[in-house]
């Protein structure tokens, strides 16, 4: 007998959270080992996934991560439409839902990258920086392109500041049902992870703003470029090690979310009702 629809959605969401966690854990782990001179590589999501190809069953692991990211992207977009967490239709609620939709699109693109790598279709070599520069070039080519690019960069910086604020507040457990004996550890992992992700977002956003000011898309950086920029600073190895360890912690927190997040997953028919409601408003 098949599982109820809401149970399947919950399973998809948890698999997606674990997949995103695996990517961050891999990126952070590789950058950390590079920072302390123990091998590894300072790169972004794509280069981290490609590093698995040399491992036993590497293509299968990448494929599993890619499939999980498909689930995560679908759940994010589904959450933006149906709003199972009850963010509402206020300006703040709609903003949160818009961020969820954007997250779904970004992670959907990463899922496609992972699946093409796993299938041996992707030629490789471009990486996160090239993708960031391509998107920046597209934005700059639009009417008021510099202002548009600067606005996107400011939004990314704002997201980074929000992550730092969330780390300071320590409220990342409010949607998790964490056992009492694990709560302190989960809070530490979450705080460190959100702080590191916030730093990376601020750096990426800063490069976008610089690209807007100079009208030069080559100044845009992705995750790998942001980490390399940190490494290029005075005492950069220590700074990189701290941020990389934090990204690995964010990845570990993804697995904690997969285990303990409270997921309100209504029936898929609710998605149709939500889409109909949006269509009526438009």
């Amino acid at each position: 007998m098949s599982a109820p629809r809401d149970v399947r959605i919950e399973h998809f969401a948890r698999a997606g959270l674990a997949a995103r966690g695996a990517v961050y854990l891999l990126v952070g782990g590789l950058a950390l080992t590079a920072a302390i001179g123990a091998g590894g590589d300072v790169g972004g999501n794509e280069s981290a996934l490609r590093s698995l190809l040399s491992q036993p069953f590497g293509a299968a692991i990448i494929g599993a991560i890619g499939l999980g990211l498909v689930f995560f992207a679908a759940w994010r977009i589904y959450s933006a439409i149906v709003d199972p967490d009850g963010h509402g239709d206020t300006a703040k609620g709609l903003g949160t839902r818009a961020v969820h939709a954007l997250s779904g699109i970004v992670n959907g693109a990463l899922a496609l990258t992972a699946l093409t790598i796993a299938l041996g279709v992707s030629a490789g070599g471009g990486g996160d920086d090239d993708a960031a520069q391509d998107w920046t070039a597209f934005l700059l080519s639009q009417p008021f392109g510099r202002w548009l690019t600067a606005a996107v960069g400011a939004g990314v910086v704002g997201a980074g500041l929000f992550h730092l604020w969330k780390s300071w507040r320590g409220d990342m457990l409010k949607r998790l049902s964490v056992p009492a004996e694990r709560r302190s550890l989960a809070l530490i992992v979450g705080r460190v992870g959100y702080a590191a992700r916030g730093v990376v977002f601020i750096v990426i956003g800063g490069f976008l703003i610089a690209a807007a000011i100079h009208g030069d898309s080559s100044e845009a950086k992705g995750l790998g470029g942001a980490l390399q920029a940190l490494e290029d600073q005075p005492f950069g190895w220590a700074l990189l090690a701290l941020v990389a360890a934090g990204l690995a912690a964010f990845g570990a927190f993804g697995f904690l979310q997969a285990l303990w997040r409270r997921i309100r997953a209504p029936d898929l028919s609710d998605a149709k009702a939500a889409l109909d409601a949006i269509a009526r408003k438009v």
Side-chain angles (χ1 to χ4, degrees), residues 113-213:
T113 297
L115 292 173
T116 56
I117 292 172
L119 295 172
V121 176
S122 175
D128 295 340
D129 282 357
D130 280 3
Q133 289 163 12
D134 288 344
W135 276 106
T136 304
F138 171 77
L139 291 175
L140 288 172
S141 68
Q142 304 306 305
F144 305 102
R146 289 193 178 189
W147 289 102
L148 180 60
T149 304
V152 173
V156 175
V157 171
L161 293 173
F162 174 76
H163 275 69
L164 291 177
W165 176 78
K166 195 172 182 68
S167 172
W168 178 75
R169 278 187 56 123
D171 63 351
M172 62 283 302
L173 302 185
K174 66 181 181 180
R175 298 191 187 280
L176 275 65
S177 298
V178 184
E181 65 275 14
R182 299 284 186 266
R183 193 170 182 84
S184 295
L185 178 59
L187 182 59
I188 292 171
V189 172
R191 276 184 147 160
V192 172
Y194 271 84
R197 198 172 187 231
V199 169
V200 170
F201 275 13
I202 290 171
V203 174
I204 292 173
F207 277 119
L208 267 176
I209 293 172
I213 293 172

Side-chain angles (χ1 to χ4, degrees), residues 24-250:
Y24 271 97
L25 195 59
L26 188 59
V27 170
L30 288 171
L32 178 60
T33 55
I36 62 177
D41 178 52
V42 181
N45 296 326
E46 183 175 344
S47 63
L49 288 169
R50 288 187 182 281
S51 71
L52 292 174
L53 286 174
S54 60
Q55 304 302 315
F57 307 105
I61 295 172
I62 297 171
I65 291 173
L67 184 59
L69 289 171
V70 170
F71 294 154
F72 183 77
W75 178 59
R76 279 302 216 191
I77 293 172
Y78 175 84
S79 296
I81 296 171
V82 180
D83 191 25
D85 290 325
H87 294 293
D89 293 332
T90 63
K92 180 180 177 182
L94 290 174
T96 300
R97 292 165 68 178
V99 169
H100 286 175
L102 180 60
S103 172
I105 294 169
V106 171
N107 282 280
L110 181 57
L112 179 61
T113 297
L115 292 173
T116 56
I117 292 172
L119 295 172
V121 176
S122 175
D128 295 340
D129 282 357
D130 280 3
Q133 289 163 12
D134 288 344
W135 276 106
T136 304
F138 171 77
L139 291 175
L140 288 172
S141 68
Q142 304 306 305
F144 305 102
R146 289 193 178 189
W147 289 102
L148 180 60
T149 304
V152 173
V156 175
V157 171
L161 293 173
F162 174 76
H163 275 69
L164 291 177
W165 176 78
K166 195 172 182 68
S167 172
W168 178 75
R169 278 187 56 123
D171 63 351
M172 62 283 302
L173 302 185
K174 66 181 181 180
R175 298 191 187 280
L176 275 65
S177 298
V178 184
E181 65 275 14
R182 299 284 186 266
R183 193 170 182 84
S184 295
L185 178 59
L187 182 59
I188 292 171
V189 172
R191 276 184 147 160
V192 172
Y194 271 84
R197 198 172 187 231
V199 169
V200 170
F201 275 13
I202 290 171
V203 174
I204 292 173
F207 277 119
L208 267 176
I209 293 172
I213 293 172
H214 300 131
D216 184 2
S217 62
S218 67
E219 295 193 32
K221 304 291 183 185
L223 175 56
L227 292 175
Q228 288 170 354
L230 293 174
E231 188 180 27
D232 291 339
Q233 304 307 306
F235 301 100
W237 70 269
L239 183 59
L240 176 63
L242 287 172
V243 174
L247 291 179
F250 187 81

